[in-house]
Every structure is written in C-alpha cells, then in structure tokens.
Amino acid sequence: MAKERTLSIVKPDATRRNLTEKINARFTARGLKIVAQKRLQLSRAEAEKFYAVHRERPFFSGLVTFMISGPVVVQVLEGENAIALNREIMGATDPAKAAPGTIRKDFAESIEANSVHGSDSAETAKREIAFFFPDI
Ligand code: GDP
C-alpha cells in the first residue's frame, strides 16, 4: 500500500450541526492525517464546476443548491490507502445503506445531505485536491 492523499468535504448539513470535530476524529482515529483544511462558502458556479460529472443527473440542481446552503470544510487527508480508507470511513452514499459505525450511518440526514464527500479514485483525488488547494 502506498501513502495517498484524498479530498474530503464536510458538507453544509454537518457544519450546520457543528459536526466537523466529530467527523475529523473519525479520520484521525483510523490513521488519516488532515494535512490541509479550510472553511469556505461555495458559490453556485464553483459547486456546479466541482460536481460537473453529475450535471446530467436528476439530482444535480438539488445537490448544487444543498452544497451552497451553508459553509463547507474542505480538507486533504493523507495516509496509507487514504482514498479507499476514507470511502470506508464515510460509508455508502445513501445513509440507509451505510454500514454501522460509518460517518454517513451515524450523521447523514438523507442521500443528498450525507455529511461528507470523499474522492473516489486516484485521478479524481488529484483533480479535486487541485480544485481547492492549487498550491499543495
Ligand atoms: P458519493 O461519491 O458517495 O458522494 O456519491 P456520488 O458521487 O454518486 O454522488 C455525489 C453526491 O450527490 C452524493 O454524495 C449525494 O450528496 C448526492 N446524491 C447522489 N445520489 C443521489 C440521489 O439519488 N438523490 C439525491 N437527492 N442526491 C444524490
């Protein structure tokens, strides 16, 4: 296994409920280091660009509106196998299908307001990290 970096986002439903520290504790407990982190408000144009891969999906417009409904915390997680490990810690997209002990099972409100984002491949991680952290 190689040391990797992945892009994580604490979504507006979670920042609204002050869950960032609890979510970060899930990452660090499993050996992921938070090597960069910032809280920001996405514009509609930024959210549309970030989720451009989903633009043809029926949930795209709702997803963008949700992602700009409050601040997000964007972060770079680093560790062995970080991309897959973070996906495991997050749990399935739909909290009803997420495994016990995962972030989405414990905190998500719905399939849309599901508390966290995590890159799904090495290629995506590279692009998503550059989107928010062009200098690291
Ligand atoms: P992820 O990689 O687990 O975040 O899932 P996807 O890349 O498939 O979807 C991106 C985001 O779109 C998800 O995290 C949800 O916030 C939202 N989403 C995905 N599927 C649905 C859906 O069927 N309905 C709605 N309303 N939102 C969805």
Side-chain angles (χ1 to χ4, degrees), residues 31-69:
L32 291 174
K33 255 191 212 163
I34 301 164
V35 297
Q37 174 169 265
K38 59 188 175 188
R39 183 179 167 103
L40 53 90
Q41 171 69 48
L42 286 171
S43 67
R44 183 169 291 275
E46 285 168 335
E48 284 175 349
K49 192 171 171 203
F50 183 79
Y51 277 120
V53 64
H54 291 311
R55 66 183 168 272
E56 306 300 335
R57 310 283 286 275
F59 59 80
F60 178 70
S61 151
L63 174 62
V64 167
T65 299
F66 161 64
M67 289 299 290
I68 65 172
S69 67

Side-chain angles (χ1 to χ4, degrees), residues 8-12 14-15 20 23-24 71-75 115-117:
S8 165
I9 305 178
V10 182
K11 294 185 177 181
T15 61
T20 304
I23 288 171
N24 284 354
V72 295
V73 175
V74 295
Q75 40 194 204
S115 302
V116 280
H117 166 85

